[in-house]
């Protein structure tokens, strides 16, 4: 199964869309919302989609291998039809959802395509890798024991955090280049505005807010079975197993129950947006960071049943409140038609046209719309493009930067895109570009790569945030 099959398969995927144009951005977003690439595609469109995706397992793949070859030969026999159909599709419908779309037909009989194609094409998977390095400044590839500089930084954090009134401006300044693992939980609580700067008020605040959260559980959680909450609860229930599917921690029933409660309570307390796919990802960094407070070893294989009920309740409540604080700043990303994301994707396009005209024109030449790859960059804050340990490091900076999750994220996305300019310019067709942009090779990234990305984002912000539109580099 060669590279041309991926292209033919993706073009074939566009066929059913020819007759049904996206009638609204909301429908387009729903049709293009993508899930994790591993065994995740269940019946996900509740309102109007006539086709459903089936979860793939290895038995299905083996049993229907012959069908793949048959489908392949049919597609190879009709390349002209596939090509013309692709050119007829409206621009904003020409979307590959992710590597999973390129490997997965929308009909159940073709569901077997994904596994063999992944093996043949060596598309990047998400292997089980450490979420949080033992020392926060360690790279994924390993690093020497804590340096003198790191010890000094840790001591600086400890002084700030133990003072009667923590200087939040100073804490932000120290956190921008990364927060040491040992002090990250309390630092994140402070930076997110969940904990007060005053030391004496912290214990009471935590106690009160945790009790308040579990009050919501008592008050609202049983309503998940009521008819008007069925769609919300069902979507959450489907999405949770897709959250980091290759990391054992998130496949534990107890952890999935915690996530279900957090997401359901958030959704019914925020009816303007409700639950939207992608919000499930935003719980994971907080959960991992607050879990690491009680766990010495790497947490991805940790069995949470070893923790006491009180500890688990604290982790759950703190994750809920910190995620809520984050979403308060970007809620227009998730309201009807997701206007925040539309604006940010448009802003990214404008920014890239000013930063790197060659890359921008390359996209235009091959009819690549920014929405086709950057929608999930905004919807999921790059979480699906980076290993989780990198997201945690990124969020150290986002929480210390003014409007980090909204405004600064735009410059991080621009820096992230330009980082791959050579690879982008080497691709000379629509499918190749989309496959690249939706499977960028960041699997081995660590703190060093994130540090460089953030430095470049900061430079871009400094140069372009207030620059007139005609300014070119």
């Amino acid at each position: 199964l060669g590279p041309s099959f991926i292209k033919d398969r993706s073009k074939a995927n566009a066929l059913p869309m020819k007759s049904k144009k996206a009638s609204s951005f909301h429908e387009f977003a729903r049709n293009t919302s993508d899930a994790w690439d591993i065994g995740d595609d269940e019946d996900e469109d509740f309102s109007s989609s006539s086709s459903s995706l089936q979860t793939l397992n290895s038995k299905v793949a083996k049993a229907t291998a012959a069908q793949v070859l048959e489908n392949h030969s049919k597609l190879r026999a009709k390349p002209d039809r596939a090509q013309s159909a692709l050119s007829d599709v409206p621009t904003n419908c020409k979307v590959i959802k992710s590597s999973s779309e390129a490997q997965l037909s929308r009909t159940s009989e073709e569901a077997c395509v994904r596994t063999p194609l992944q093996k043949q094409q060596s598309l990047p998977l998400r292997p089980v890798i450490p979420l949080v390095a033992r020392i926060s400044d360690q790279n994924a590839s390993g690093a020497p024991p804590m340096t003198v500089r790191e010890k000094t930084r840790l001591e600086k954090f400890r002084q700030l955090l133990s003072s009667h009134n923590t200087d939040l401006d100073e804490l932000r300044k120290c956190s921008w280049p990364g927060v040491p693992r040992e002090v990250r939980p309390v630092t994140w609580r402070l930076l997110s505005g969940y904990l007060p700067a005053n030391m004496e008020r912290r214990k009471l605040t935590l106690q009160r807010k945790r009790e308040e959260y579990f009050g919501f559980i008592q008050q609202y959680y049983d309503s998940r079975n009521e008819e008007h909450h069925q769609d919300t609860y069902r979507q959450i229930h489907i999405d949770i197993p897709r959250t980091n599917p290759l990391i054992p921690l998130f496949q534990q029933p107890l952890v999935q129950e915690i996530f279900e409660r957090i997401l359901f309570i958030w959704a019914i307390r925020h009816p303007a947006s409700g639950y939207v796919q992608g919000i499930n990802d935003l719980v994971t960094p907080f959960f991992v960071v607050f879990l690491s407070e009680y766990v010495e070893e790497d947490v991805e294989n940790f069995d949470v049943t070893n923790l006491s009920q009180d500890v688990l309740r604290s982790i759950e409540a703190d994750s809920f409140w910190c995620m809520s604080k984050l979403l308060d700043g970007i809620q227009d990303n998730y309201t009807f038609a997701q206007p925040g994301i539309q604006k940010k994707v448009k802003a990214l396009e404008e920014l890239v046209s000013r930063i790197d005209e060659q890359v921008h024109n390359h996209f235009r030449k091959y009819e690549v719309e920014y929405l086709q790859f950057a929608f999930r960059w905004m919807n999921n804050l790059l979480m699906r493009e980076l290993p989780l340990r990198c997201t945690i490091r990124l969020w150290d900076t986002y929480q210390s930067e003014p409007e980090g999750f909204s405004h600064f994220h735009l410059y991080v996305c621009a820096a992230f895109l330009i980082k791959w300019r050579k690879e982008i310019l080497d691709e000379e067709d629509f499918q190749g570009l989309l496959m690249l942009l939706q499977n960028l090779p960041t699997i081995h990234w660590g703190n060093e790569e994130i540090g460089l990305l953030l430095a470049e984002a900061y430079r871009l912000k400094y140069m372009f945030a207030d620059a007139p539109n005609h300014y070119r580099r």
Side-chain angles (χ1 to χ4, degrees):
L1 303 179
S4 61
F5 181 39
I6 285 192
K7 295 177 186 180
D8 288 346
R9 165 69 57 210
S10 302
K11 289 169 185 175
N13 282 342
L15 286 170
M17 300 174 70
K18 181 181 177 184
S19 59
K20 182 187 173 189
K21 297 185 180 184
S23 59
S24 67
F25 179 82
H26 189 64
E27 185 179 335
F28 165 71
R30 190 172 63 242
N31 288 339
T32 58
S33 63
D34 87 325
W36 291 98
D37 296 341
I38 310 300
D40 54 346
D41 290 305
E42 302 182 49
D43 182 10
E44 61 182 359
D45 191 349
F46 303 129
S47 53
S48 61
S49 177
S50 60
S51 58
S52 63
L53 305 174
Q54 290 195 356
T55 304
L56 176 70
N57 60 41
S58 56
K59 288 182 182 173
V60 175
K62 288 175 184 172
T64 52
Q67 184 71 48
V68 181
L69 299 173
E70 188 180 330
N71 294 336
H72 181 197
S73 61
K74 281 180 189 171
L75 283 167
R76 300 288 285 173
K78 302 177 184 175
D80 294 337
R81 181 179 166 224
Q83 180 60 52
S84 64
L86 185 61
S87 62
D88 289 344
V89 173
T91 314
N92 70 342
C93 285
K94 263 194 274 179
V95 177
I96 304 172
K97 288 164 76 175
S98 67
S99 61
S100 60
E101 172 119 315
Q103 300 150 30
L104 179 67
S105 166
R106 285 197 171 268
T107 59
S108 57
E109 70 205 33
E110 294 170 330
C112 55
V113 173
R114 181 195 291 167
T115 295
L117 272 178
Q118 279 187 333
K119 287 177 181 171
Q120 293 289 332
Q121 297 300 320
S122 302
L123 294 175
L125 297 177
R126 293 180 177 268
V128 180
I129 42 181
L131 301 175
V132 187
R134 294 298 287 272
I135 298 164
S136 72
D137 288 333
Q138 180 177 331
N139 278 316
S141 54
M146 194 180 276
T147 63
V148 174
R149 179 180 164 274
E150 286 163 350
K151 283 179 182 170
T152 308
R153 286 191 76 233
L154 179 57
E155 192 49 45
K156 171 75 172 166
F157 270 93
R158 286 189 166 137
Q159 281 174 7
L160 273 169
L161 297 170
S162 61
S163 62
H164 181 67
N165 271 305
T166 298
D167 182 338
L168 292 179
D169 288 337
E170 191 60 31
L171 186 64
R172 286 188 192 98
K173 203 182 294 180
C174 290
S175 300
W176 209 98
V179 181
R181 180 189 194 271
E182 296 86 342
V183 292
R184 188 177 266 134
V186 67
T187 302
W188 275 27
R189 288 189 194 104
L190 284 159
L191 292 179
S192 67
Y194 172 46
L195 268 192
N198 184 287
M199 171 73 86
E200 289 169 9
R201 290 175 49 216
R202 284 181 206 164
K203 191 175 176 183
L204 276 174
T205 300
L206 276 181
Q207 189 181 333
R208 180 173 56 81
K209 295 300 280 183
R210 287 167 180 172
E211 284 172 6
E212 189 181 349
Y213 169 72
F214 282 99
F216 296 152
I217 297 286
Q218 280 188 309
Q219 188 177 350
Y220 300 119
Y221 195 56
D222 284 344
S223 71
R224 69 191 184 280
N225 299 313
E226 294 171 11
E227 192 175 342
H228 60 293
H229 290 321
Q230 278 295 294
D231 282 355
T232 296
Y233 183 67
R234 185 183 174 200
Q235 185 63 61
I236 290 170
H237 198 75
I238 287 170
D239 287 351
I240 283 176
R242 301 170 171 176
T243 308
N244 290 301
L246 290 178
I247 296 170
L249 173 69
F250 297 111
Q251 301 311 304
Q252 295 175 41
L254 196 54
V255 173
Q256 294 192 354
E257 285 168 27
I258 287 170
F259 275 52
E260 267 184 26
R261 285 195 293 270
I262 289 172
L263 293 168
F264 183 76
I265 296 300
W266 188 87
I268 61 172
R269 281 177 49 78
H270 295 82
S273 60
Y275 175 74
V276 176
Q277 281 184 304
I279 293 178
N280 55 309
D281 292 329
L282 306 184
V283 185
T284 54
F286 293 116
F287 184 81
V288 166
V289 167
F290 298 139
L291 177 62
S292 71
E293 202 165 13
Y294 303 94
V295 178
E296 282 301 314
E297 64 268 29
D298 285 328
V299 299
E300 79 250 9
N301 295 300
F302 181 77
D303 182 355
V304 297
T305 59
N306 293 326
L307 294 173
S308 72
Q309 186 68 23
D310 281 350
V311 163
L312 283 171
R313 283 167 67 91
S314 297
I315 293 168
E316 178 175 345
D318 292 359
S319 298
F320 169 81
W321 286 115
C322 288
M323 183 198 78
S324 297
K325 294 282 188 185
L326 186 167
L327 284 167
D328 284 349
I330 56 170
Q331 200 177 337
D332 67 342
N333 282 12
Y334 303 104
T335 50
F336 181 76
Q338 299 182 265
I341 289 178
Q342 293 190 69
K343 279 184 218 148
K344 282 165 191 162
V345 171
K346 194 74 194 155
L348 179 67
E349 182 174 356
E350 164 66 16
L351 186 58
V352 173
S353 72
R354 294 160 69 195
I355 295 166
D356 196 323
E357 204 170 5
Q358 193 179 359
V359 165
H360 180 69
N361 289 339
H362 194 69
F363 286 152
R364 291 180 69 179
K365 179 179 178 183
Y366 295 106
E367 299 182 2
V368 172
E369 299 285 333
Y370 283 75
L371 200 63
Q372 291 162 345
F373 61 89
F375 178 87
R376 79 176 187 190
W377 291 15
M378 302 302 176
N379 193 51
N380 302 83
L381 298 176
L382 286 176
M383 285 190 68
R384 300 204 177 174
E385 322 313 315
L386 300 168
L388 188 46
R389 60 169 180 272
C390 291
T391 295
I392 289 169
R393 165 63 194 90
L394 193 63
W395 285 20
D396 287 343
T397 300
Y398 279 6
Q399 292 186 96
S400 53
E401 179 77 21
E403 297 181 12
F405 291 100
S406 51
H407 187 63
F408 189 60
H409 179 65
L410 171 68
Y411 295 94
V412 171
C413 287
F416 186 66
L417 183 63
I418 302 307
K419 160 104 177 82
W420 311 101
R421 81 181 305 275
K422 181 185 180 298
E423 291 84 348
I424 287 166
L425 296 174
D426 283 348
E427 291 290 344
E428 296 192 334
D429 65 68
F430 172 83
Q431 298 292 348
L433 278 163
L434 263 289
M435 288 294 289
L436 168 70
L437 289 164
Q438 294 175 352
N439 294 282
L440 291 164
T442 61
I443 206 73
H444 300 297
W445 276 29
N447 286 3
E448 188 179 336
E449 289 82 358
I450 294 297
L452 291 169
L453 180 71
L454 286 164
E456 177 62 11
Y458 188 81
R459 187 184 75 83
L460 293 177
K461 181 188 168 194
Y462 181 80
M463 288 177 68
F464 291 95
D466 302 310
N469 285 348
H470 66 263
Y471 181 72
R472 291 283 191 276
R473 185 169 60 177

